[in-house]
Amino acid sequence: MITFFAAILLLIFGYIFYSKFVERVFVVDDNTPTPAYTKRDNLDFVPMSWWKGNLIQLLNIAGLGPIYGAVAGALYGPVAFIWIVIGSIFAGGVHDYFSGMMSMRHGGEQFPALVGRYLGKYAKVFINGLSLILMLLVAAAFTAGPAQLIAQITPVSFMMALGLIFFYFILATILPINRIIGRIYPLLGGILLFMAIAVAVALIFSGKPMPNLTFENLHPGDLPIWPLLMVTISCGAISGFHCTQSPIIACTMKKETDGRKIFYGAMIIEGVIALIWAAAGMAFFNGTEGLGAALAAGGPSGVVNEISISLLGTMGGLLAIFGVIILPITTGDTALRSSRMILTDILSKFTNMEEKGKILLVTIPLAIPTFYMATIDYTFLWRYVGWTNQVVATVMLWTATVYLLKNFRFHWICGVPASFMTGVVAMYIFYAPEGLNLDYQISAIIGACITLVVLLWYAAQIIKYRSLKEVDPKAEVI
């Protein structure tokens, strides 16, 4: 278990040391009033304590992502631990922190508005569409699974379960954030963390061997690590869905120094959860072959259910059922809330969107296509969530990079992971079955060419802002 425990310690050290460095680069000021006070509307802008914000953020960004994604990523063997650790500390934590803090610094702006501010209006138009698609895909994918399970274990039909879930979605989307989300979600976030810790403790004392990272198990046969692993494990390392959720909590922050605990902290906790479930998948089924067979037979839900019941008994079974039903629903509703906030932001240029009736009118057109997509096969939807999700993450990292360049700060903390993720998404869409399904080498060459073009643009931006700094050494553009 050396690799597993070392990975846990590295995540903890990453939060203790690297998150403080990231905070210093951003430059926080608790004397600056946050939008929760300056724009308080008792709907989206409501002050909340940092610990509530952290647990709500954890539940919003996690759901079943760090469980299902980590179990699937465990097929790659212990190398998954490396990606979870490096991704969480240097990519995911940075991504989540900047998406939340930049939103807070700009009055609670949504992710597409931040993109438009720093990457231009054409990038904003593109990301507006892509973000809404991602939100609707996530909401649909995270609704179909729970509805199917409810139909299996209760007399309620699938369509009736779907209708009940969407009725709740609409309520959670239009009600003030402190009515349902602020009261219940901190508790549910705690349950998500407790579930993972219980599985970890039971696994440690179960006597099942947990594989260490070696040269022999570095490559999982016919599964190329690059770029598939980086898309398979997203929520446990870096996920674009997070930057659509961070503005929700950014509107509730009491002070700027809470951002490190809320955004970076939630990402590290999610990385720990992903590590636990990846380790459980590898150890419980005696390696990647056994895990692959279990996934083929029962899917991620079956694997999670079998691990939970076997390690934790009846309580584990109840936790598994609770998790598979409640956790994705609590991610789906905030996905719909986020899409409502994005669309409201777009429409606010043409009409006053502060009236509650208009908020409901915006929510219903978003809920209808989401409801329809929830009736489509879950695995089909999830295939298209992965790439879309990581493209959004890449764009957010480039947005943060330009923000740091404009403010003449240490832009490399965002630019390096942005460059890495550009290489991932550029190749993945050409190689993956849901993409163009091209040959691996051809996909790698095309991806490398696209990445090179983006890197040349990055170099041009660096030269541009260095020149501005030389002209006016005291310049600072917020």
Side-chain angles (χ1 to χ4, degrees):
M1 297 186 180
I2 293 174
T3 303
F4 173 71
F5 285 120
I8 294 287
L9 286 175
L10 286 171
L11 283 175
I12 294 172
F13 289 148
Y15 174 74
I16 294 172
F17 298 107
Y18 195 69
S19 69
K20 290 183 179 178
F21 172 68
V22 172
E23 185 182 59
R24 285 198 300 272
V25 171
F26 184 80
V27 185
V28 293
D29 180 10
D30 280 345
N31 293 319
T32 303
T34 63
Y37 295 105
T38 60
K39 301 180 69 174
R40 182 164 186 167
D41 62 0
N42 294 323
L43 175 65
D44 297 316
F45 294 87
V46 181
M48 288 197 302
S49 59
W50 73 264
W51 66 268
K52 276 190 175 183
N54 173 272
L55 288 172
I56 294 171
Q57 174 76 357
L58 174 63
L59 197 66
N60 288 357
I61 66 176
L64 287 178
I67 300 176
Y68 281 14
V71 167
L75 289 172
Y76 294 84
V79 71
F81 294 154
I82 296 179
W83 168 235
I84 291 171
V85 170
I86 294 177
S88 294
I89 295 173
F90 298 106
V94 174
H95 168 279
D96 290 13
Y97 181 81
F98 273 88
S99 61
M101 295 301 288
M102 287 173 63
S103 173
M104 180 276 304
R105 188 62 62 81
H106 293 296
E109 277 189 352
Q110 296 301 301
F111 165 61
L114 295 174
V115 172
R117 183 183 290 271
Y118 291 100
L119 297 184
K121 62 179 181 180
Y122 296 113
K124 180 181 179 180
V125 171
F126 167 74
I127 212 65
N128 260 322
L130 192 65
S131 296
L132 287 172
I133 290 171
L134 176 61
M135 293 303 94
L136 299 185
L137 281 171
V138 168
F142 276 18
T143 303
Q148 288 171 356
L149 185 56
I150 290 172
Q152 291 171 3
I153 63 176
T154 70
V156 177
S157 69
F158 171 75
M159 291 303 294
M160 184 178 292
L162 210 59
L164 290 172
I165 292 171
F166 268 89
F167 176 72
Y168 162 74
F169 274 11
I170 292 174
L171 281 180
T173 300
I174 64 175
L175 286 175
I177 191 169
N178 58 343
R179 288 285 179 86
I180 297 177
I181 295 174
R183 291 179 180 178
I184 302 174
Y185 284 24
L187 173 63
L188 298 180
I191 291 173
L192 172 65
L193 185 58
F194 171 78
M195 182 179 175
I197 293 173
V199 168
V201 173
L203 188 65
I204 290 169
F205 291 101
S206 68
K208 293 183 179 295
M210 196 179 299
N212 286 314
L213 182 66
T214 64
F215 285 108
E216 287 75 19
N217 63 16
L218 184 62
H219 194 278
D222 58 347
L223 288 175
I225 295 171
W226 174 274
L228 301 185
L229 177 61
M230 291 77 192
V231 176
T232 302
I233 301 180
S234 56
C235 285
I238 177 172
S239 167
F241 179 69
H242 297 188
C243 70
T244 66
Q245 301 302 293
S246 294
I248 294 177
I249 306 303
C251 297
T252 69
M253 289 172 56
K254 289 185 174 181
K255 55 183 180 179
E256 292 193 356
T257 50
D258 287 344
R260 185 174 70 91
K261 293 175 283 190
I262 293 173
F263 302 115
Y264 202 103
M267 182 64 245
I268 293 298
I269 294 172
E270 187 181 36
V272 171
I273 293 172
L275 275 175
I276 291 170
W277 281 101
M282 285 180 248
F284 189 83
F285 297 99
N286 300 314
T288 56
E289 290 186 8
L291 175 60
L295 284 170
S301 297
V303 168
V304 171
N305 189 52
E306 187 173 348
I307 291 173
S308 300
I309 292 175
S310 299
L311 292 179
L312 303 175
T314 303
M315 184 187 74
L318 293 174
L319 279 175
I321 292 174
F322 177 84
V324 171
I325 292 177
I326 298 298
L327 296 180
I329 290 176
T330 57
T331 300
D333 66 356
T334 51
L336 199 61
R337 187 182 186 94
S338 178
S339 61
R340 186 266 294 169
M341 293 172 75
I342 291 173
L343 191 56
T344 299
D345 188 48
I346 296 172
L347 296 176
S348 62
K349 295 180 180 180
F350 307 101
T351 182
N352 180 14
M353 295 302 298
E354 294 181 2
E355 300 173 17
K356 291 185 178 180
K358 290 184 177 179
I359 292 174
L360 181 61
L361 287 175
V362 170
T363 302
I364 292 176
L366 292 169
I368 291 173
T370 307
F371 184 90
Y372 169 73
M373 287 191 292
T375 63
I376 302 173
D377 179 50
Y378 170 85
T379 55
F380 174 81
L381 289 174
W382 194 246
R383 286 205 322 241
Y384 290 94
V385 169
W387 182 76
T388 307
N389 187 40
Q390 299 305 62
V391 170
V392 170
T394 305
V395 173
M396 179 61 232
L397 284 171
W398 282 124
T399 303
T401 302
V402 175
Y403 168 83
L404 292 175
L405 280 167
K406 281 191 171 185
N407 286 280
F408 308 110
R409 296 174 189 164
F410 192 74
H411 56 87
W412 300 106
I413 61 169
C414 294
V416 171
S419 302
F420 178 86
M421 290 306 299
T422 299
V424 169
V425 298
M427 178 179 174
Y428 184 89
I429 193 61
F430 293 99
Y431 177 67
E434 61 268 28
L436 298 180
N437 201 21
L438 298 180
D439 177 75
Y440 186 85
Q441 291 185 343
I442 294 174
S443 301
I445 292 170
I446 298 174
C449 292
I450 294 173
T451 304
L452 179 61
V453 171
V454 175
L455 290 178
L456 290 173
W457 167 83
Y458 183 25
Q461 296 300 306
I462 294 172
I463 294 170
K464 171 185 173 182
Y465 289 106
R466 280 184 178 174
S467 300
L468 289 174
K469 185 68 173 177
E470 290 173 1
V471 173
D472 184 3
K474 297 181 180 180
E476 183 166 331
V477 184
I478 302 298

